[in-house]
Amino acid sequence: MASMLAALLVCAAFCSTPASASNSNDTLSVAMCGDIMMGTTFPSVQLPSNDGAELFKDAGPIFQQADLAVGNLEGTLCDGGQSTKGEGPNVYSFRTPTTYVQWLKQAGFDFLSMANNHANDFGQEGILSTERMLQQEGIKFAGIEGRTETAVIERKGLRIGFCAFGHNSYTLKHTDLNTVSRILADLKEQTDLIIVSFHGGAEGRTKSHLPHGTEIFLGEDRGSLREFAHFCIDNGADMVYGHGPHVVRAVEVYKGHFIAYSLGNFCTPYGMSLTGISSYAPVIEVKMGRDGRFLKGHIHSFVQQKGIGPRHNRAGDVAREIKQLSEADIPDSQASIDDKGSITLRK
């Protein structure tokens, strides 16, 4: 009964049309979030209570009611292996127990990006274990070079293609626009809609604003993300969502299609800073038409607590942060955001 009530409250916050219309085959709803690392056993054991069973209790109803739920799996699902980053208390290698894959399935995730700087934390063993666990639960993934470039999910009579890009040597790189173009062209041949994920940008609480041009961080090319996202839309993508800076960034509607430049941390109860804006953990739900064009959206505000995961932020601080960043960094966006987090097309 509690979960049913939660789902009804979510729908009330998001839907301006009757339930029958919101579930119509005329639209497709996508719920998206940023980085997910549910707990780690390396270099020390840092796992949430109840073995992670309550991590997604607040946000789960949003993912479950959406036609598609997507995010970024920041780290590995494995129980052993050797860290590729060495040893010591300041080593950031993430090894989440394989049993935790059940919480991703239960929460409702359909697709998770593996194109990030933690997918290779335990080398080939970690990658293979992660892929095996996701396959076991029917969760699609993509993003590792030479392995899975794309995924396809069918919903409402549509074939939706997914691809994911990162900045590390073992990922499909968003800086390689020839590869991006090839993958998008391949997906256009076999699908009706395309959703792109990317991991990029400089990191930290001072990196909320979306710059123009290339971002360099720790000596790495972290991408020219405006250029990349627009390139994807110009070459057939219908939606683009990003993560990587560990803080939220602006969103926009470009040529009728939705782009989120960083969804920040979402479920990272350990191993990452969760103070101030680093704790902001939005879920953005977008409705698009069968032609892939943006219709409306809503920013659901969650804030993380150490060892607990994302919890409701009734004050709406996260939505206001994204609204302010979007107005400052992309003033010519085709969308506007109100104080309650509703995203609509400009008249």
Side-chain angles (χ1 to χ4, degrees):
M1 180 65 73
S3 62
M4 183 180 295
L5 178 59
L8 289 172
L9 290 172
V10 166
C11 189
F14 181 63
C15 303
S16 61
T17 52
S20 59
S22 67
N23 292 327
S24 163
N25 282 337
D26 292 338
T27 64
L28 189 79
S29 62
V30 182
M32 64 195 81
C33 68
D35 296 347
I36 300 168
M37 196 287 291
M38 297 173 284
T40 184
T41 60
F42 185 92
S44 62
V45 176
Q46 298 180 79
L47 298 174
S49 61
N50 294 333
D51 234 4
E54 298 180 352
L55 285 172
F56 300 109
K57 73 171 189 176
D58 282 13
I62 301 171
F63 297 124
Q64 292 155 14
Q65 73 147 2
D67 296 316
L68 291 166
V70 301
N72 172 57
L73 185 59
E74 185 87 335
T76 62
L77 295 167
C78 66
D79 298 318
Q82 189 78 25
S83 168
T84 60
K85 297 176 178 175
E87 306 281 341
N90 295 320
V91 168
Y92 294 96
S93 285
F94 299 140
R95 184 174 65 191
T96 301
T98 54
T99 55
Y100 277 45
V101 73
Q102 66 183 305
W103 309 133
L104 297 171
K105 177 67 173 180
Q106 186 180 94
F109 286 102
D110 298 290
F111 173 83
L112 293 170
S113 167
M114 288 180 63
N116 58 65
N117 54 320
H118 288 283
N120 193 50
D121 280 357
F122 289 85
Q124 192 79 345
E125 180 176 346
I127 289 173
L128 292 174
S129 177
T130 302
E131 291 178 346
R132 186 165 58 251
M133 290 302 103
L134 294 175
Q135 287 171 337
Q136 176 180 298
E137 295 295 344
I139 300 171
K140 301 284 189 173
F141 55 87
I144 303 298
E145 187 176 24
R147 298 195 61 78
T148 304
E149 288 192 342
T150 62
V152 178
I153 297 174
E154 294 192 24
R155 287 287 188 278
K156 294 184 171 180
L158 295 169
R159 287 174 58 82
I160 301 99
F162 295 84
C163 52
F165 301 93
H167 56 78
N168 294 90
S169 60
Y170 52 85
T171 67
L172 293 162
K173 288 174 259 322
H174 46 65
T175 55
D176 180 359
L177 294 183
N178 287 331
T179 295
V180 174
S181 177
R182 176 184 61 78
I183 290 174
L184 291 174
D186 289 346
L187 280 174
K188 278 196 293 185
E189 290 293 317
Q190 55 181 310
T191 64
D192 302 298
L193 300 173
I194 300 172
I195 297 176
V196 176
S197 168
F198 71 87
H199 202 70
E203 300 178 21
R205 66 191 69 186
T206 64
K207 306 301 182 182
S208 294
H209 284 285
L210 178 69
H212 291 274
T214 300
E215 296 184 62
I216 304 295
F217 185 73
L218 299 178
E220 294 180 323
D221 183 344
R222 295 292 183 90
S224 179
L225 302 178
R226 292 178 192 249
E227 177 190 9
F228 166 77
H230 289 182
F231 180 88
C232 289
I233 300 299
D234 291 342
N235 284 271
D238 296 288
M239 181 181 294
V240 179
Y241 73 98
H243 31 81
H246 300 297
V247 288
V248 299
R249 285 183 168 183
V251 304
E252 73 168 323
V253 173
Y254 167 77
K255 295 185 178 180
H257 298 277
F258 184 78
I259 301 169
Y261 284 98
S262 176
L263 296 167
N265 299 325
F266 176 63
C267 184
T268 55
Y270 299 102
M272 299 183 195
S273 172
L274 297 179
T275 59
I277 60 173
S278 298
S279 71
Y280 287 4
V283 176
I284 300 184
E285 191 175 5
V286 166
K287 285 194 185 297
M288 64 172 98
R290 293 179 70 86
D291 59 357
R293 297 182 70 83
F294 174 85
L295 298 175
K296 63 178 179 177
H298 190 83
I299 304 166
H300 300 275
S301 292
F302 293 90
V303 170
Q304 285 205 75
Q305 301 173 30
K306 184 174 181 179
I308 295 173
R311 293 294 178 259
H312 288 297
N313 170 235
R314 305 292 184 188
D317 298 314
V318 187
R320 275 196 302 278
E321 175 78 359
I322 295 174
K323 168 182 167 66
Q324 291 167 4
L325 290 169
S326 301
E327 290 172 350
D329 295 347
I330 313 177
D332 57 348
S333 171
Q334 294 175 349
S336 62
I337 306 171
D338 70 16
D339 289 336
K340 294 182 179 179
S342 293
I343 311 169
T344 56
L345 287 169
R346 294 186 187 277
K347 303 274 188 189

